[in-house]
Amino acid sequence: MRSLESFLTLRILLLALPGAIFIWLYLNKLELLWHWHAIALFCYVLFTALLTVTIKFQVFRSYNRATLHLDAIKQEDFNQFAKSPFPEGKVKQFHQHLSQLSTTLQANKSRNDQHIFLVYKLISELTSPILVFNQKQQLTFANDAFQQLYNQPWQMQRLSTPQLLDLSFQGNHWVFNKAVSKWQIKHSEFIDNEEQYLLLVFIDIESALRENQLKAWQQIIRVLSHEIRNSLTPVSSMAETLAEKALVDRDKQILSVITDRCSHLQSFVDRYSTISKQIELKRSDVSIDYLTNLLHKLFASKHVSLESSLETIWVDISFFEQVLINLTKNAFEANASTVKINIDEVDHHIIIEVVDDGHGFNNLDNLFVPLYTTKPDGQGIGLSFCRNIIEQHDGVIELHNNTNKGVTVMIILPVKK
């Protein structure tokens, strides 16, 4: 007996067999004609068959309902519950267990869905580019930082394969062929709705290297500042004392030069120490007209233009105006004849472009390195100061040589929060 159906059929037949024998013997005792025997046995067999069908239907009805319940669970529909055909007993308990299973699975699914939602929410909030591919190696989700890689929203590349996105798997890690030196890719996998997904996280190793570099410079700055100040203070004091006691004008002049150079060196150390310090910003809505008038006054004899579709920008004016002054001054020192500044809002960011027609730069990689300068009398502080101010505004500053001549400095700032 390999099935419940055959088991029930055989047991009912075995129970009905004594009845058939009893009817046959009883009819023989009454000495009725044979056709009455046939009719009686036929009725008994028909009754037995109907009883068998009724019993099997009643038994299997509970299994059929349980099967429908399990199919609903398989389809992750946990709101359907099969009612037991028997109000008491083991079958009732069986259906109660199925209902408890549905409730438990529903709670687990809700919890997992919430976790997945939080994962995607976290991905959306992160500033590092993150890409999600399904089992078919198709892009199904990415965060807004996707634009850092491809200069367009990720929705325009939906269902693209890694190959179309210039990604390749080499050895045991993913590589971004478009900019190998800038990005390092970490990958992992997760399962959602029984489907496996690939998660690629892009890490800007340049920013990490720059952070380590900044820490090294800060340490150097602290040491140099301490030693220089300790030496300048007594030298300047002695030079002033000797200048007061000197009788020869030439000696006074020499000591005065020493005092002035000590003061200049002290000022340089103080200024240089500010390029890596955290600054307390006091942002406000600054009028574009104010910035325009400021530049026209400071560079009255130069060709400086400022165009903007905005009326105000949200910055710390005392520091931001110094950034614009430094960039404009650098452009004219690079033999630029005109400087054009454009300020616009694009995709909830303020884009500022400072474009000049000067001679440009031969080595763009070292421009933001402290103390590096291409000017004979430069100090290598200006651009480092500008980057520090912009980054403390939660912004980004980039510098590129133009196709023909000159340089474009692009500053990206967040809009007012």
Side-chain angles (χ1 to χ4, degrees):
M1 292 176 291
R2 295 178 178 273
S3 65
L4 181 60
E5 293 89 337
S6 61
F7 175 81
L8 291 175
T9 301
L10 182 59
R11 291 298 183 273
I12 293 173
L13 291 177
L14 290 176
L15 292 174
L17 183 58
I21 295 174
F22 173 78
I23 293 174
W24 179 265
L25 294 175
Y26 181 73
L27 292 176
N28 283 337
K29 184 177 180 180
L30 295 177
E31 297 181 354
L32 297 176
L33 298 176
W34 66 270
H35 62 273
W36 290 108
H37 290 228
I39 292 173
L41 289 175
F42 175 77
C43 292
Y44 183 76
V45 170
L46 181 61
F47 171 77
T48 303
L50 291 175
L51 181 62
T52 302
V53 171
T54 302
I55 293 174
K56 291 174 67 174
F57 172 78
Q58 195 70 11
V59 171
F60 287 110
R61 185 170 63 162
S62 62
Y63 284 97
N64 291 333
R65 292 185 178 183
T67 301
L68 294 175
H69 194 161
L70 291 173
D71 287 340
I73 291 176
K74 186 177 180 180
Q75 299 298 325
E76 295 188 354
D77 183 2
F78 305 113
N79 296 319
Q80 293 190 20
F81 297 94
K83 184 178 180 181
S84 172
F86 302 98
E88 301 294 339
K90 292 294 183 182
V91 176
K92 176 65 175 178
Q93 293 179 7
F94 173 67
H95 281 275
Q96 287 178 341
H97 289 319
L98 280 180
S99 298
Q100 292 174 1
L101 176 62
S102 291
T103 303
T104 301
L105 292 176
Q106 174 66 52
N108 292 337
K109 183 178 184 298
S110 299
R111 186 163 52 250
N112 291 335
D113 290 344
Q114 186 177 12
H115 291 168
I116 293 297
F117 172 78
L118 291 176
V119 168
Y120 281 101
K121 183 68 174 176
L122 177 61
I123 291 174
S124 299
E125 296 296 330
L126 294 176
T127 57
S128 297
I130 300 178
L131 282 61
V132 180
F133 294 89
N134 60 15
Q135 289 184 156
K136 297 180 181 180
Q137 294 281 291
Q138 296 173 326
L139 180 67
T140 58
F141 185 78
N143 57 3
D144 292 340
F146 182 89
Q147 297 193 37
Q148 298 181 26
L149 304 175
Y150 302 100
N151 297 320
Q152 58 181 319
W154 75 269
Q155 290 85 350
M156 298 183 66
Q157 293 289 343
R158 184 189 293 272
L159 301 183
S160 296
T161 61
Q163 290 73 25
L164 292 176
L165 297 174
D166 292 321
L167 296 169
S168 61
F169 191 72
Q170 300 179 7
N172 59 353
H173 62 278
W174 286 88
V175 175
F176 186 38
N177 300 316
K178 191 174 182 181
V180 178
S181 60
K182 179 177 176 63
W183 300 102
Q184 184 181 41
I185 303 177
K186 300 292 185 180
H187 70 276
S188 61
E189 297 176 348
F190 68 94
I191 296 176
D192 181 23
N193 290 329
E194 299 182 357
E195 185 173 355
Q196 189 167 355
Y197 288 85
L198 172 67
L199 185 72
L200 299 184
V201 180
F202 288 72
I203 301 174
D204 187 355
I205 58 177
E206 285 188 359
S207 61
L209 291 174
R210 191 168 71 237
E211 183 178 354
N212 291 333
Q213 182 189 58
L214 180 59
K215 290 180 180 179
W217 278 111
Q218 288 173 339
Q219 181 63 25
I220 294 174
I221 290 170
R222 282 193 291 268
V223 174
L224 289 178
S225 300
H226 177 74
E227 295 299 326
I228 292 175
R229 286 191 180 101
N230 287 346
S231 300
L232 289 178
T233 301
V235 169
S236 178
S237 177
M238 287 187 292
E240 290 178 355
T241 301
L242 291 175
E244 292 176 357
K245 297 180 178 180
L247 301 177
V248 181
D249 292 339
R250 186 172 179 277
D251 293 340
K252 290 184 177 181
Q253 185 177 3
I254 293 174
L255 293 171
S256 177
V257 170
I258 293 175
T259 302
D260 291 340
R261 296 314 300 170
C262 286
S263 177
H264 174 78
L265 186 56
Q266 182 68 49
S267 175
F268 168 78
V269 171
D270 292 338
R271 289 178 57 208
Y272 185 68
S273 63
T274 63
I275 69 171
S276 59
K277 285 184 178 180
Q278 185 68 30
I279 301 172
E280 182 180 355
L281 299 178
K282 297 180 181 179
R283 304 191 198 190
S284 61
D285 291 319
V286 178
S287 168
I288 297 296
D289 292 337
Y290 170 80
L291 295 176
T292 303
N293 294 331
L294 173 69
L295 294 174
H296 286 166
K297 289 179 181 179
L298 294 177
F299 303 96
S301 62
K302 306 290 185 181
H303 295 287
V304 180
S305 63
L306 193 156
E307 298 180 359
S308 175
S309 59
L310 306 175
E311 295 182 357
T312 61
I313 58 174
W314 190 53
V315 293
D316 185 314
I317 183 57
S318 61
F319 289 107
F320 184 75
E321 68 179 16
Q322 190 61 47
V323 171
L324 290 183
I325 293 171
N326 285 357
L327 296 178
T328 305
K329 180 173 176 289
N330 286 345
F332 287 122
E333 289 178 350
N335 296 326
S337 59
T338 60
V339 175
K340 297 180 180 179
I341 303 174
N342 299 312
I343 303 177
D344 291 297
E345 180 177 344
V346 179
D347 294 333
H348 304 293
H349 289 84
I350 304 300
I351 308 298
I352 304 168
E353 289 185 331
V354 181
V355 185
D356 68 65
D357 57 356
H359 55 60
F361 294 98
N362 294 325
N363 189 350
L364 295 175
D365 296 333
N366 295 325
L367 289 180
F368 292 106
V369 175
L371 292 181
Y372 176 84
T373 180
T374 58
K375 305 172 186 176
D377 57 348
Q379 298 174 338
I381 294 178
L383 288 177
S384 298
F385 171 82
C386 291
R387 185 173 70 176
N388 184 39
I389 296 302
I390 296 303
E391 289 183 348
Q392 295 196 44
H393 275 80
D394 301 320
V396 177
I397 181 171
E398 297 179 351
L399 192 148
H400 306 283
N401 281 325
N402 299 330
T403 304
N404 296 325
K405 62 177 181 177
V407 171
T408 295
V409 180
M410 176 179 288
I411 298 173
I412 303 176
L413 296 175
V415 296
K416 182 178 181 179
K417 298 181 180 179

